Amino acid sequence: LMRSELFGYCKGAFTGANEAHDGLISLAHEGTLFLDEIGELPIEVQAALLRVLETQTYRRVGDKYERQVDVRFLFATNRNLVEEARVGNFHEALYHRLNVFQIHIPALRERQEDIPLLVDYFLGLLGGSSSPCRVSKGVMQCLMKYSWPGNVRELRNVIERGIILAENGIITEAALPRELTRRTDPQA
């Protein structure tokens, strides 16, 4: 499935392939393709992706002809790809090929100063055309104290939930998931 999503397929390549389908790589020709969580890609698809990076060619599933492509790739992962390659879960040659330029973004818990900015961003993004919501002072304190194991995605979901449960345009502690309002005191 992943191979056909990336590379596309020819009509009749497999059961249900009633017509040809362009993959993401073809659609990104002369543009940029962002692949999130590259560490989750099956090892056999990693080898095919390595070939694209090396030769700028690919073959659709079921096709005998190679196609030329010009794509800039961006990859993201939360995994340690050096360790994944060492234990055989990630194609080592692919790691070295895509490790041209790394941008390390620390986890949200390591950059709490970004939380108010991200909250404002998500309030604007998710608030729609209705009157804008804001967070109470107590909510902001809860957000700042939380460890954010789900990182920025979790914060986005918390703000979306808060907007849904807001009272008169104000997100209160009652709109937060329980794990954000629990006290860190072991006796609480």
Side-chain angles (χ1 to χ4, degrees):
L1 179 62
M2 183 57 69
R3 184 183 296 269
S4 62
E5 276 296 311
L6 280 175
F7 303 107
Y9 53 84
C10 293
K11 180 179 179 177
F14 50 84
T15 303
N18 299 328
E19 57 186 54
H21 175 74
D22 284 332
L24 295 173
I25 290 174
S26 174
L27 296 172
H29 180 63
E30 296 183 340
T32 302
L33 180 59
F34 173 66
L35 297 177
D36 196 8
E37 298 303 342
I38 189 69
E40 304 292 328
L41 200 62
I43 197 89
E44 58 276 359
V45 180
Q46 292 175 27
L49 183 59
L50 174 62
R51 187 164 188 275
V52 174
L53 292 170
E54 292 289 336
T55 66
Q56 290 82 44
T57 62
Y58 71 99
R59 188 175 296 156
R60 294 189 306 180
V61 175
D63 202 347
K64 55 185 173 185
Y65 301 108
E66 291 197 347
R67 296 168 178 256
Q68 197 74 29
V69 71
D70 177 18
V71 176
R72 176 188 313 117
F73 287 92
L74 297 175
F75 303 97
T77 186
N78 65 357
R79 292 182 178 219
N80 180 338
L81 294 183
V82 172
E83 180 61 22
E84 294 293 318
R86 188 187 70 71
V87 298
N89 294 332
F90 197 81
H91 197 293
E92 186 174 4
L94 177 59
Y95 168 74
H96 290 297
R97 182 64 179 90
L98 58 84
N99 189 29
V100 174
F101 191 85
Q102 278 190 22
I103 300 172
H104 174 73
I105 300 175
L108 187 55
R109 70 182 156 275
E110 297 172 29
R111 51 190 176 99
Q112 288 184 328
E113 68 277 5
D114 289 351
I115 292 172
L117 297 170
L118 288 166
V119 167
D120 286 344
Y121 171 74
F122 290 135
L123 286 171
L125 178 72
L126 302 170
S129 59
S130 62
S131 57
C133 282
R134 61 184 181 85
V135 298
S136 71
K137 192 174 190 175
V139 165
M140 187 57 76
Q141 289 173 345
C142 290
L143 298 177
M144 296 296 286
K145 290 178 183 175
Y146 187 60
S147 65
W148 299 106
N151 226 328
V152 176
R153 287 182 179 116
E154 183 180 15
L155 176 59
R156 182 191 191 283
N157 292 339
V158 166
I159 297 303
E160 185 171 11
R161 172 194 171 111
I163 290 170
I164 292 167
L165 299 174
E167 300 170 13
N168 299 318
I170 300 172
I171 299 173
T172 65
E173 287 93 336
L176 295 178
R178 212 174 315 153
E179 60 268 17
L180 269 78
T181 58
R182 276 191 220 133
R183 300 197 183 275
T184 53
D185 180 2
Q187 295 176 355

